[in-house]
Amino acid sequence: MLWNILDKLFDVIAGNRKPQQPGWTRDLGDGYALHEEDVPNSLGGYHPVNLTLLHNGKKVRQITDETGTFLQFPGVVPGAWEAKQTYPFQPCTRFTFWMGPFQDGKAPVEWLLQPDGRYYADEDGFGWEDDEDIVLHSLMDTTGKFIVPFSEERICQGGISPTR
């Protein structure tokens, strides 16, 4: 039993086997990946925490902490989204966070700040709210730093395009 544990430990230390991490990892191409853990958000769903950018399996930068709060928040561009907000603004991932593949050293990022009102409804539609989706966009570089503040404008590697 002890030898089995030591054997596994040596494999991890030697780099032959990666230690098991809770959560899941999304491949971003070119050796990059985004690792996240999902925890209940107290609103009936889950949200990502401990978002970490990896390159070839090694940590580049942790993006959020264990509560989903951004560690190097780039700020937000004021806009119409502020009038749609039903809860006080918090720079954390309460719902979803998506990151696309890197192109020319930049990757698009989407952060769902607030879902539409259907999110709160049960299977019969009870609990539906009048909330509107608020999706904010940014770009991240290969060091895990945000290049621009979050905004309503959909940002692609080559420039800015209108929100979906």
Side-chain angles (χ1 to χ4, degrees), residues 124-157:
D124 297 323
F126 182 75
W128 185 302
E129 301 284 335
D130 291 332
D131 301 354
E132 292 183 49
D133 265 355
I134 300 175
V135 179
L136 300 178
H137 308 271
S138 185
L139 287 174
M140 184 175 285
D141 68 18
T142 56
T143 67
K145 293 182 181 174
F146 290 101
I147 300 169
V148 296
F150 281 99
S151 75
E152 283 182 287
E153 298 298 319
R154 187 177 175 90
I155 303 170
C156 57
Q157 286 87 340

Side-chain angles (χ1 to χ4, degrees), residues 70-108:
F70 289 102
L71 297 175
Q72 288 93 25
F73 188 65
V76 290
V77 175
W81 65 270
E82 293 170 298
K84 299 176 192 175
Q85 208 173 352
T86 57
Y87 294 100
F89 177 80
Q90 291 181 316
C92 60
T93 57
R94 293 276 183 247
F95 301 100
T96 62
F97 181 91
W98 176 85
M99 191 170 168
F102 283 97
Q103 290 180 359
D104 300 323
K106 298 179 267 185

Side-chain angles (χ1 to χ4, degrees), residues 37-56:
E37 299 169 30
D38 290 331
V39 297
N41 65 6
S42 74
L43 297 168
Y46 290 85
H47 70 109
V49 299
N50 290 323
L51 289 163
T52 306
L53 181 64
L54 306 171
H55 186 248
N56 294 327

Side-chain angles (χ1 to χ4, degrees), residues 17-49:
R17 186 181 306 148
K18 293 184 177 67
Q20 292 294 324
Q21 296 178 341
W24 57 287
T25 303
R26 185 178 332 139
D27 183 25
L28 301 173
D30 295 331
Y32 287 94
L34 182 69
H35 180 79
E36 68 180 64
E37 299 169 30
D38 290 331
V39 297
N41 65 6
S42 74
L43 297 168
Y46 290 85
H47 70 109
V49 299

